[in-house]
Amino acid sequence: MMRIEKIDPLTGEVFVPSRSNQLFASEGNRIRFHNERAKTLRQQKAFIDRPLHVNQRILNEVLGDKESVEVHRQFLLGKGFSLSTFTHYTELEGKHYPSIYEFVLIPLAEERFKILRRYA
């Protein structure tokens, strides 16, 4: 019987697999490889994910159990809200408004915003 050797993608060590589809020399190497790959991806997306999560947390806090609320721009900024980070735009009555997950920000007069909670 022919003995096939493989190279572990994480450590580069040569090993004899116990299964035909085995890629790593050990379970620990497999877990570490995928954890490192996931960490790298999280770090690459962090510049946008962090502000989005902060914005979502602030909007959840401000709305509480209400469906809509009006707030001043400076109030949002004081809480650490980023006015430049959104997930998408929502169309309401023919106009497009910036949105963060289920929240829609509608600009009003005098630097105020109406915040709506809308589930798609």
Side-chain angles (χ1 to χ4, degrees), residues 79-106:
K79 286 201 161 279
F81 192 85
S82 170
L83 289 170
S84 63
T85 309
F86 303 101
T87 55
H88 63 287
Y89 283 85
T90 300
E91 184 177 346
L92 294 173
E93 300 173 2
K95 293 185 179 179
H96 296 273
Y97 298 104
S99 301
I100 298 165
Y101 300 111
E102 72 269 26
F103 302 102
V104 182
L105 276 76
I106 301 172

Side-chain angles (χ1 to χ4, degrees), residues 108-120:
L108 303 173
E110 300 173 11
E111 293 195 332
R112 297 187 66 78
F113 288 96
K114 182 175 184 175
I115 302 169
L116 299 173
R117 185 188 318 262
R118 288 182 45 112
Y119 299 102

Side-chain angles (χ1 to χ4, degrees), residues 68-84:
S68 71
V69 68
E70 287 186 22
V71 295
H72 195 276
R73 177 180 185 268
Q74 290 302 319
F75 174 77
L76 291 175
L77 293 175
K79 286 201 161 279
F81 192 85
S82 170
L83 289 170
S84 63

Side-chain angles (χ1 to χ4, degrees), residues 34-90:
H34 290 293
N35 282 345
E36 288 176 9
R37 197 167 72 175
K39 179 182 176 184
T40 301
L41 182 60
R42 275 193 309 275
Q43 289 171 339
Q44 290 171 345
K45 298 182 338 175
F47 78 98
I48 194 82
D49 285 347
R50 278 192 194 114
L52 281 176
H53 290 223
V54 169
N55 282 356
Q56 183 185 33
R57 182 187 49 76
I58 291 169
L59 294 176
N60 265 318
E61 180 184 313
V62 169
L63 259 73
D65 60 351
K66 300 173 188 163
E67 289 298 313
S68 71
V69 68
E70 287 186 22
V71 295
H72 195 276
R73 177 180 185 268
Q74 290 302 319
F75 174 77
L76 291 175
L77 293 175
K79 286 201 161 279
F81 192 85
S82 170
L83 289 170
S84 63
T85 309
F86 303 101
T87 55
H88 63 287
Y89 283 85
T90 300

Side-chain angles (χ1 to χ4, degrees), residues 16-34:
V16 177
S18 57
R19 298 179 324 273
S20 63
N21 63 344
Q22 183 177 347
L23 298 177
F24 298 91
S26 70
E27 181 181 357
N29 286 0
R30 178 181 55 82
I31 291 169
R32 208 167 101 219
F33 176 85
H34 290 293

